[in-house]
């Protein structure tokens, strides 16, 4: 199965940005700009506080909602956490899990990523599992080792059907927020490696169906050449998703 069988998926990770009124303005503008875009999945991931409002704004549109993180327990004495049923209740279809900023600043591990992925899937939401090497890993020739560790740890124990409900996002940490995008060839090399890992762990058919997004300084100017790579199925966009025009342009360049 070729790339054409996988629907491109472009997600905007707003990170720690936007009040509710700013989120409404951004989403309303985006909704108009991408209203005619078909054949691509468009996702926004606001902060927890803006999810309910953004969920209302996108109702009936072609934009879908993601959360930036989740906790795996459903309820109970876990102060400060948000559960999968709560995200489902507010209208999320996707949950970003294991973003490098969560790994770096908030103690996220492959084990917690795996628990979160299982919890998300058990409620029929879709995890976007982030993986990616640091600059020193790449410079020391350890990129594949780190990617292998993140991928196999993050998806451990998932059935083939569960795996296919999710998305993997390759985000080289050195390219996030730095303006240093991976070259299309560098992105393709790692995306191809991830697909090979999935082929070995599952099957050729499963590996060829799963979608793998690239993230790290994706902009309107580089989106098309990244998306043209055979194993790049979409983008996870940080900075450039905070402006409706630039995010909409990335969506259009992915088609
Ligand atoms: P960036 O962030 O596009 O600002 O580099 C990407 C991400 O962290 O998902």
């Amino acid at each position: 199965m070729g790339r054409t069988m996988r629907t491109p998926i472009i997600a905007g990770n707003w990170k720690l940005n936007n009040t509710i009124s700013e989120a409404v303005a951004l989403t309303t503008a985006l909704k108009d700009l991408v209203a005619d875009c078909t054949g691509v999945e468009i996702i926004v991931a606001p902060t927890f506080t803006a999810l309910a409002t953004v969920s209302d704004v996108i109702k009936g549109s072609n934009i879908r909602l993601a959360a930036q993180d989740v906790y795996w327990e459903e309820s109970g004495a876990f102060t400060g956490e948000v559960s999968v049923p709560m995200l489902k209740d507010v209208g999320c279809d996707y949950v970003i899990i294991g973003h490098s900023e969560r790994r770096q600043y908030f103690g996220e591990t492959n084990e917690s990523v795996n628990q979160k992925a299982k919890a998300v899937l058990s409620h029929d939401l879709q995890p976007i599992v982030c993986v990616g090497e640091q600059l020193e890993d790449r410079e020391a020739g350890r990129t594949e080792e780190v990617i292998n560790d993140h991928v196999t740890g993050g998806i451990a124990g998932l059935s083939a059907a569960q795996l296919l409900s999710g998305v993997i996002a390759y985000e080289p940490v050195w390219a996030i927020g730095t303006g240093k995008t991976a070259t299309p060839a560098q992105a393709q090399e790692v995306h191809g490696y991830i697909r090979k890992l999935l082929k070995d762990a599952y099957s050729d058919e499963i590996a060829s169906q799963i979608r793998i997004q690239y993230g790290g300084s994706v902009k309107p100017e580089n989106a098309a050449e990244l998306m043209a790579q055979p194993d790049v199925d979409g983008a996870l966009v940080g900075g450039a998703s905070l402006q409706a025009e630039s995010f909409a342009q990335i969506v259009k360049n992915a088609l």
Side-chain angles (χ1 to χ4, degrees):
M1 187 182 294
R3 152 91 158 76
T4 46
M5 300 297 288
R6 301 187 295 265
T7 304
I9 177 166
I10 309 293
N13 171 14
W14 294 0
K15 308 192 179 182
L16 184 49
N17 293 290
N18 291 330
T19 59
I20 290 175
S21 59
E22 289 164 346
V24 169
L26 172 55
T27 312
T28 306
L30 179 66
K31 202 167 69 163
D32 285 347
L33 291 169
V34 300
D36 295 335
C37 295
T38 54
V40 55
E41 248 175 277
I42 307 165
I43 299 169
V44 292
T47 56
F48 289 132
T49 54
L51 284 174
T53 311
V54 171
S55 182
D56 283 343
V57 175
I58 61 177
K59 218 157 258 163
S61 79
N62 56 350
I63 302 174
R64 299 170 81 189
L65 194 63
Q68 298 176 17
D69 190 27
V70 70
Y71 189 55
W72 56 82
E73 293 289 349
E74 293 192 5
S75 62
F78 303 102
T79 302
E81 294 298 319
V82 171
S83 71
V84 183
M86 291 169 183
L87 295 181
K88 195 167 181 169
D89 183 44
V90 81
C92 287
D93 288 312
Y94 290 89
V95 186
I96 298 171
I97 297 173
H99 190 278
S100 66
E101 286 148 19
R102 301 235 41 103
R103 293 180 192 260
Q104 198 174 341
Y105 306 127
F106 303 102
E108 189 88 88
T109 63
N110 288 334
E111 291 68 35
S112 60
V113 170
N114 187 237
Q115 275 180 287
K116 290 176 180 186
K118 285 176 174 162
V120 167
L121 287 161
S122 74
H123 290 278
D124 298 323
L125 298 193
Q126 303 184 49
I128 297 175
V129 177
C130 303
V131 303
E133 83 286 359
Q134 313 249 5
L135 184 58
E136 57 264 35
D137 298 322
R138 177 164 283 266
E139 286 175 344
R142 287 197 306 264
T143 298
E144 291 193 349
E145 191 186 315
V146 172
I147 297 301
N148 187 345
D149 183 55
H150 285 181
V151 171
T152 52
I155 65 169
L158 300 192
S159 68
Q162 285 179 317
L163 182 75
L164 287 181
S165 301
V167 177
I168 291 180
Y170 168 56
E171 298 205 301
V173 179
W174 48 271
I176 295 178
T178 58
K180 282 189 216 151
T181 322
T183 63
Q186 283 173 321
Q188 170 56 31
E189 192 179 13
V190 178
H191 281 232
Y193 176 67
I194 294 171
R195 223 176 279 287
K196 181 187 165 304
L197 287 175
L198 298 174
K199 180 181 161 194
D200 294 346
Y202 292 85
S203 69
D204 209 358
E205 206 196 331
I206 298 298
S208 65
Q209 287 178 55
I210 188 155
R211 290 180 297 176
I212 308 175
Q213 292 175 296
Y214 168 80
S217 298
V218 176
K219 303 178 208 61
E221 302 77 47
N222 58 28
E225 55 175 4
L226 286 161
M227 289 292 304
Q229 299 302 308
D231 287 305
V232 176
D233 306 313
L236 182 53
V237 186
S241 72
L242 297 174
Q243 302 291 333
E245 292 74 18
S246 57
F247 189 60
Q249 200 53 54
I250 291 170
V251 170
K252 289 175 185 169
N253 289 357
L255 294 172

